Amino acid sequence: MATKREQEILALIKQDPLITQAQLAEKTGTTRSNIGSHISNLIKEGLIVGRGYVFPAENEVTVIGAVNLDVLGAAKAQVSTKGSTPGRVYSFIGGMGRNIATNLADLGVKTKLITVYGNDNNGDLFQSEAQNNELDLSDALRVERPTATYVYLNDVDGRRIAGIDDMQINELLTPQVMEKRLPKINAAKVVVVDSNLPAETLNYIYENVTVPIFAKAVGINKAQNLFSAKTKIDTLVINSVEAKLLTQIEITGEKQAQMVADKLQAWGCKRVCIYADGLGIYYQTPTVAKFVAYHKANLVNTNGVGAAIIAASVYAKLQAKDFGETLKLMQRADVLTAQVNEAVTPKLSEIIEE
């Protein structure tokens, strides 16, 4: 991690990339030999490349979160707990962090994904797909463990009935891993996290990341990871089930959505987007809020909706969209994603083409 002196030197180099070591020594009140040592450290940390003070390529967004194999059982009739139910079984690469990063890439956003995955066939599949989507995996971890897996069952209406996740591998995304990558993380314009990360890792990110942090709650057993006395979230995206678990408020309409958003803002979230199956999407900032009811659509699978919504909100932030434009982008992303079996729709870019 760069010292305060090295951060000072970096700032001077950014102002004048042709500055000499003698000039740096004069401006910082130290010796040329000390400057040489600091420059060497900056090169080792990847903050500058070579002797020409060339800065590494910056990603617009860094996503820190999970990748896994999704296994979906999609029922074609009313599910019976006492026998077999006809349907289809699908498998594809998913995971909240991966889904968000892939969506952002589809929207034309240069994206780094910091995740952990196994040295197995599913890891090979993920790596190949990520490269095809031009995701930067240079700071991801690949380990001798199985890639995470999520198995879930949807009813005939496309709504989730139950799910089981094998995600222990994410425990390897520790604060120490983030510390080694912190300069690159802070070089992004926006950082996105999901609650698959350990609570201590999220707290480290809140304390040390200097750019806006967007967060996606994932699962009723992990959403709590996002919250502590250190929580510092620019925009939170959460579904009504996770919101109820955290706040003990069941969302049946706009009034309850506002109550939930008020609580979440008090807990350290500047902006809150809540999506509720069958009801609609609610977006609240410190100054304005709006609820948009869902229209009936061809609902196939809601699993990837949250990742699409947060990707749309990040895109809106990068493009300096106003409240109304941001909400429209999130709403379109929601509808498009719910119409496909996969967790990522290949048509997400349509939200910025309309």
Side-chain angles (χ1 to χ4, degrees):
M1 183 176 177
T3 65
K4 287 185 178 179
R5 175 71 76 190
E6 288 162 358
Q7 291 172 5
E8 182 183 3
I9 292 168
L10 266 181
L12 289 169
I13 292 172
K14 286 184 177 181
Q15 291 173 16
D16 180 7
L18 300 179
I19 194 170
T20 66
Q21 290 191 10
Q23 290 171 324
L24 286 169
E26 181 180 354
K27 286 180 178 291
T28 57
T30 187
T31 65
R32 185 171 176 175
S33 60
N34 281 341
I35 291 295
S37 295
H38 289 309
I39 293 294
S40 178
N41 289 337
L42 291 170
I43 292 172
K44 289 178 182 177
E45 292 188 25
L47 295 175
I48 55 177
V49 181
R51 297 182 178 178
Y53 302 153
V54 177
F55 290 91
E58 292 184 358
N59 292 282
E60 288 188 275
V61 176
T62 293
V63 178
I64 309 171
V67 60
N68 56 257
L69 179 72
D70 278 343
V71 180
L72 162 64
K76 296 297 183 182
Q78 191 67 34
V79 175
S80 169
T81 59
K82 297 182 179 180
S84 179
T85 300
R88 296 290 300 274
V89 176
Y90 305 89
S91 64
F92 36 80
I93 295 298
M96 186 56 68
R98 172 267 176 189
N99 293 345
I100 295 168
T102 304
N103 282 324
L104 284 166
D106 193 32
L107 295 174
V109 177
K110 190 174 181 181
T111 305
K112 174 189 286 289
L113 175 58
I114 299 177
T115 189
V116 57
Y117 61 106
N119 190 19
D120 55 11
N121 289 337
N122 292 332
D124 290 340
L125 182 60
F126 159 66
Q127 190 174 67
S128 175
E129 185 189 76
Q131 290 170 347
N132 288 339
N133 288 313
E134 299 184 348
L135 297 181
D136 179 357
L137 296 183
S138 60
D139 285 298
L141 300 178
R142 191 166 195 185
V143 298
E144 295 299 326
R145 288 172 63 170
T147 299
T149 302
Y150 177 51
V151 181
Y152 62 107
L153 175 64
N154 281 358
D155 65 16
V156 69
D157 295 322
R159 293 183 174 84
R160 201 174 324 172
I161 297 174
I164 297 175
D165 65 67
D166 181 359
M167 308 285 282
Q168 291 89 343
I169 193 173
N170 291 311
E171 295 171 357
L172 299 178
L173 292 171
T174 62
Q176 291 73 29
V177 169
M178 299 304 127
E179 183 178 12
K180 290 180 180 178
R181 294 156 174 78
L182 187 61
K184 295 181 182 179
I185 294 171
N186 278 330
K189 296 176 182 176
V190 173
V191 167
V192 185
V193 299
D194 72 52
S195 62
N196 285 300
L197 297 176
E200 60 268 24
T201 301
L202 287 162
N203 283 333
Y204 177 85
I205 290 169
Y206 295 147
E207 288 185 298
N208 294 279
V209 169
T210 57
V211 299
I213 299 169
F214 284 52
K216 175 64 184 76
V218 186
I220 58 175
N221 296 317
K222 294 175 285 188
Q224 184 61 51
N225 288 355
L226 292 171
F227 295 95
S228 72
K230 299 174 182 177
T231 297
K232 184 187 68 176
I233 295 173
D234 180 284
T235 301
L236 172 71
V237 175
I238 187 169
N239 69 32
S240 58
V241 177
E242 296 151 350
K244 179 182 178 182
L245 174 79
L246 291 171
T247 66
Q248 306 304 308
I249 300 171
E250 182 173 0
I251 297 175
T252 57
E254 182 175 358
K255 180 180 178 181
Q256 292 79 18
Q258 181 181 348
M259 292 168 61
V260 169
D262 287 345
K263 270 199 171 186
L264 295 173
Q265 285 181 323
W267 294 349
C269 303
K270 187 175 181 180
R271 300 173 182 85
V272 178
C273 177
I274 305 165
Y275 59 103
D277 289 351
L279 290 175
I281 185 169
Y282 180 80
Y283 182 43
Q284 181 168 308
T285 75
T287 58
V288 64
K290 187 174 181 179
F291 177 80
V292 179
Y294 285 141
H295 297 293
K296 289 186 178 180
N298 182 27
L299 184 65
V300 176
N301 182 14
T302 61
N303 183 46
V305 164
I309 291 174
I310 198 166
S313 67
V314 171
Y315 175 84
K317 174 82 170 182
L318 295 173
Q319 299 297 319
K321 301 292 187 182
D322 63 21
F323 175 88
E325 292 171 321
T326 299
L327 181 55
K328 284 180 181 178
L329 286 169
M330 293 191 292
Q331 184 186 11
R332 292 171 188 160
D334 180 337
V335 172
L336 277 176
T337 303
Q339 293 176 2
V340 297
N341 276 311
E342 295 81 3
V344 172
T345 174
K347 298 181 178 181
L348 191 66
S349 60
E350 291 181 9
I351 71 171
I352 59 176
E353 294 169 358
E354 294 179 6

